Amino acid sequence: MGFLQEAPQLAHPLHTDRVLGAWLANVLPGDHVAAAMPDLVALGDYAVASWERRLRTPRMEPVLTSWDAWGDRVDRIALTPAWEDGPHVTTRHAVLAAGHDASPFARTAQFARVYLYHLASEFYCCPLAMTDGAATAIRASGNAALMARALPRFLSRDAATFWLSGQWMTETPGGSDVGRTETVARRGDDGAWRLYGRKWFSSAVVGEAALALARPEGAGPGTAALALFYVETKDAHGRWQGVTIDRLKKKLGTHELPTAEIHLDGLPATPLGELAHGVRQVAPMLNITRTWNAVCAVASMARAIALARDYATRRHAFGARLIDQPLHQRTLADLQAEFEGAFSLTFHVAGLLGRVEQGDATAHEAALLRLLTPLAKLWTAKASIRVTSEALECFGGAGYIEDTGLPQLLRDAQVYAIWEGTTNVLSLDMLRALGTTGVDPLRTELDALLPANAKERPAIVAALDATEALLGELSADRTTLEAAARGIAFTLARTM
Ligand code: MFK
Ligand code: FAD
């Protein structure tokens, strides 16, 4: 048969990831590391098993059945095995619940789990992110009845009682500009609210609940007039109540994730709070899902690099292993450097989030978190596309062949920059955050992180000075400021 190339092997992502191990050892007290370790080891085992299974079995996709054989409208979605496993893995290893423990280290311990689970979950982490975001927004609303109903289910550690939540924002007129939302909320004679309209992207339609933006009937146009509602998709008999699934989208990547177009026709809904300022109310959810996005983007980078590095020890060219070729070493080192920067920024945000949520942070750290969240999301999203693309090239032609399992890494990575706020929208969100504080939170943080004589300090200070000067210069002219926003965002993210 001639020469047969060995396939790349996935090493255990916890035991072999120096970056994750060092981060946990540095930022978590020993008893927290020890407490999380059984779940982290198990999620690493699950990742390896899932990669090996993925190469042995054909890739599956969710299938929508709209009508049953007898003509009943059923809108049933058959899920992939990893998705069927999702509630069990999530609750057994507290992938979601651990983030809500009453500890400033809770978010770091949670996001280490997410980082290890994401690829094996086949983007089940997308609805998990939204469920986490919904729990956070409901808690922030202070709505006691909704907290009592939803939080025990969203944060359950038992698959039998666990519920997923969606995030229904995007409509056909606008996903960035949700102020153009057309869905209407009507109040019936019974005093109950019901939603009517069309949601254009729903990635957790299999979930039991969702947070949805809608315009109360008679309210004016624009963002401020929108209200935020909690909905449950099925009635007590398990039948859809006022939700029709029109179709599942055919996508570039994330094929295992069922993303649906849906119509709402009388779906019962409960307002989270006041019947306006729904975007302000959903903002805590956005900031959580954006953090998940960053964590999952670095997880994609880690997977691509781990496989490329392993392959370089197995593939020979011009009389030597690739790993021993100076230029290939350099290529891998550049990928690793990009990954490590993205990892540090992301897990720094995770740590800040944990401290801010538990009231254990300074005002400066809260402002820093507000500013770094969009920066981490936009930077890691673009970095994951660059890194997975370059990593595929490390396999030569094999990187382009579907049943190696490799091209999926690049196609899936493209989504991180689009959903949860595109790169431009997040650059504008950064301007929103800078408008309150300027770059001061970044200066304070760098002072805390870097010794006075650190050799990086002059370049970092120069970048912050230049950004501050530019912001001052452009602040009077919104058009020029917006046009510069992406450049400023990339400079600040790279600096951090
Ligand atoms: C596996 C990976 C895991 C990730 C899973 C991802 C699942 C993906 C599912 C989705 O994609 S769900 C849909 C996500 N959609 C978006 O992210 C919407 C993108 N558009 C924006 O983010 C716009 O900036 C936004 C709609 C939020 C605002 O547009 P506007 O109309 O210009 O609103 P405005 O008036 O600036 O803001 C309204 C209020 O929200 C303001 O507060 P006030 O009412 O008090 O003035 C803002 O300060 C506040 N706000 C907006 N963004 C905020 C925020 N507050 C805190 N944090 C933010 N990020
Ligand atoms: P648009 O808003 O039309 O954006 C088009 C382009 O215009 C972008 O490049 C954008 O950056 C740019 N742009 C827009 N405004 C500005 C501006 N002011 N300045 C400069 N540039 C601007 N949504 C949900 O609500 N729930 C879900 O579950 C969900 N799941 C999704 C799953 C997948 C796989 C995908 C791909 C999307 C999903 N979305 C979901 C939708 C996603 O959030 C939106 O697609 C995204 O927010 C962008 O909105 P849009 O598609 O309307 O693009």
Side-chain angles (χ1 to χ4, degrees):
M1 195 188 298
F3 175 76
L4 267 186
Q5 176 60 48
E6 277 178 32
Q9 303 294 311
L10 183 69
H12 194 282
L14 176 71
H15 299 325
T16 58
D17 190 329
R18 169 182 56 77
V19 179
L20 175 64
W23 191 273
L24 294 179
N26 279 336
V27 304
L28 290 188
D31 54 333
H32 286 254
V33 178
M37 202 44 76
D39 288 325
L40 298 180
V41 171
L43 289 166
D45 294 343
Y46 187 78
V48 174
S50 122
W51 170 253
E52 288 169 358
R53 195 175 52 240
R54 162 84 182 80
L55 297 180
R56 280 197 314 269
T57 47
R59 196 171 171 191
M60 292 172 68
E61 294 194 10
V63 177
L64 170 67
T65 301
S66 304
W67 305 94
D68 76 4
W70 307 101
D72 191 16
R73 179 91 199 207
V74 287
D75 287 353
R76 216 166 23 228
I77 300 177
L79 298 167
T80 66
W83 271 65
E84 294 289 0
D85 267 0
H88 305 282
V89 177
T90 299
T91 52
R92 191 182 315 128
H93 301 299
V95 177
L96 212 164
H100 292 257
D101 286 346
S103 154
F105 304 107
R107 288 297 187 177
T108 300
Q110 173 193 22
F111 282 119
R113 290 166 164 89
V114 174
Y115 174 78
L116 291 168
Y117 179 43
H118 171 51
L119 273 289
S121 87
E122 298 181 346
F123 277 78
Y124 185 75
C125 279
C126 164
L128 285 185
M130 299 195 276
T131 307
D132 193 347
T136 306
I138 289 172
R139 206 196 297 277
S141 76
N143 185 322
L146 282 187
M147 283 161 69
R149 173 132 187 105
L151 297 192
R153 292 172 166 92
F154 293 172
L155 305 179
S156 174
R157 292 175 189 246
D158 174 1
T161 56
F162 178 62
W163 278 11
L164 278 180
S165 169
Q167 176 179 9
W168 294 351
M169 296 177 64
T170 306
E171 301 196 3
T172 50
S176 307
D177 183 7
V178 298
R180 297 180 67 195
T181 293
E182 292 175 335
T183 295
V184 172
R186 287 198 195 111
R187 189 166 205 171
D189 295 338
D190 56 358
W193 288 92
R194 290 189 168 72
L195 304 188
Y196 301 83
R198 183 187 211 183
K199 294 289 177 183
W200 190 229
F201 280 85
S202 170
S203 288
V205 77
V206 291
E208 290 78 4
L211 295 190
L213 285 173
R215 197 174 302 283
E217 198 169 31
T223 304
L226 294 175
L228 184 63
F229 292 88
Y230 166 84
V231 300
E232 290 178 10
T233 53
K234 305 258 179 77
D235 65 19
H237 308 290
R239 293 188 65 99
W240 293 102
Q241 44 178 358
V243 179
T244 311
I245 303 179
D246 300 327
R247 59 176 167 171
L248 298 184
K249 289 192 184 281
K250 293 198 183 308
K251 296 173 289 180
L252 173 70
T254 66
H255 289 166
E256 293 85 355
L257 167 72
T259 302
E261 296 168 14
I262 58 177
H263 267 94
L264 311 180
D265 186 16
L267 173 66
T270 308
L272 259 74
E274 64 169 322
L275 285 164
H277 300 296
V279 170
R280 187 194 295 163
Q281 295 173 58
V282 85
M285 180 178 209
L286 296 178
N287 293 329
I288 293 293
T289 45
R290 288 169 185 176
T291 308
W292 276 74
N293 202 78
V295 172
C296 294
V298 293
S300 288
M301 290 185 232
R303 171 65 61 89
I305 295 170
L307 291 170
R309 196 172 42 223
D310 179 83
Y311 188 68
T313 66
R314 299 173 192 277
R315 179 75 173 165
H316 289 70
F318 302 105
R321 299 182 310 165
L322 292 180
I323 198 80
D324 297 321
Q325 310 269 8
L327 187 51
H328 199 75
Q329 283 176 358
R330 176 61 187 264
T331 306
L332 291 173
D334 285 347
L335 291 176
Q336 182 72 13
E338 174 116 43
F339 157 69
E340 292 196 21
F343 181 100
S344 306
L345 177 60
T346 299
F347 276 82
H348 197 63
V349 168
L352 280 172
L353 176 64
R355 288 204 294 285
V356 170
E357 285 185 329
Q358 298 301 323
D360 201 37
T362 60
H364 139 72
E365 286 181 313
L368 183 69
L369 175 66
R370 175 69 187 91
L371 184 52
L372 287 187
T373 303
L375 292 180
K377 195 280 191 184
L378 70 84
W379 176 265
T380 55
K382 288 298 197 195
S384 75
I385 300 168
R386 282 194 298 275
V387 165
T388 52
S389 171
E390 191 64 55
L392 292 203
E393 197 176 326
C394 291
F395 296 90
Y400 204 69
I401 300 306
E402 280 299 337
D403 50 6
T404 60
L406 298 165
Q408 180 182 350
L409 289 168
L410 175 59
R411 276 194 271 101
D412 286 352
Q414 184 68 45
V415 82
Y416 299 126
I418 295 174
W419 65 15
E420 279 307 335
T422 61
T423 309
N424 282 358
V425 165
L426 290 165
S427 301
L428 297 176
D429 187 51
M430 170 210 67
L431 286 186
R432 216 187 255 116
L434 280 174
T436 324
T437 60
V439 298
D440 287 351
L442 303 182
R443 284 193 196 284
T444 314
E445 188 66 0
L446 288 168
D447 281 342
L449 290 175
L450 277 182
N453 59 354
K455 67 179 187 324
E456 303 88 347
R457 182 177 275 277
I460 290 173
V461 171
L464 293 181
D465 287 347
T467 304
E468 196 159 47
L470 186 63
L471 286 168
E473 205 178 297
L474 301 182
S475 59
D477 176 4
R478 182 72 197 177
T479 306
T480 322
L481 181 63
E482 285 197 11
R486 189 193 266 245
I488 295 171
F490 282 10
T491 300
L492 291 182
R494 194 181 316 111
T495 305
M496 288 311 291

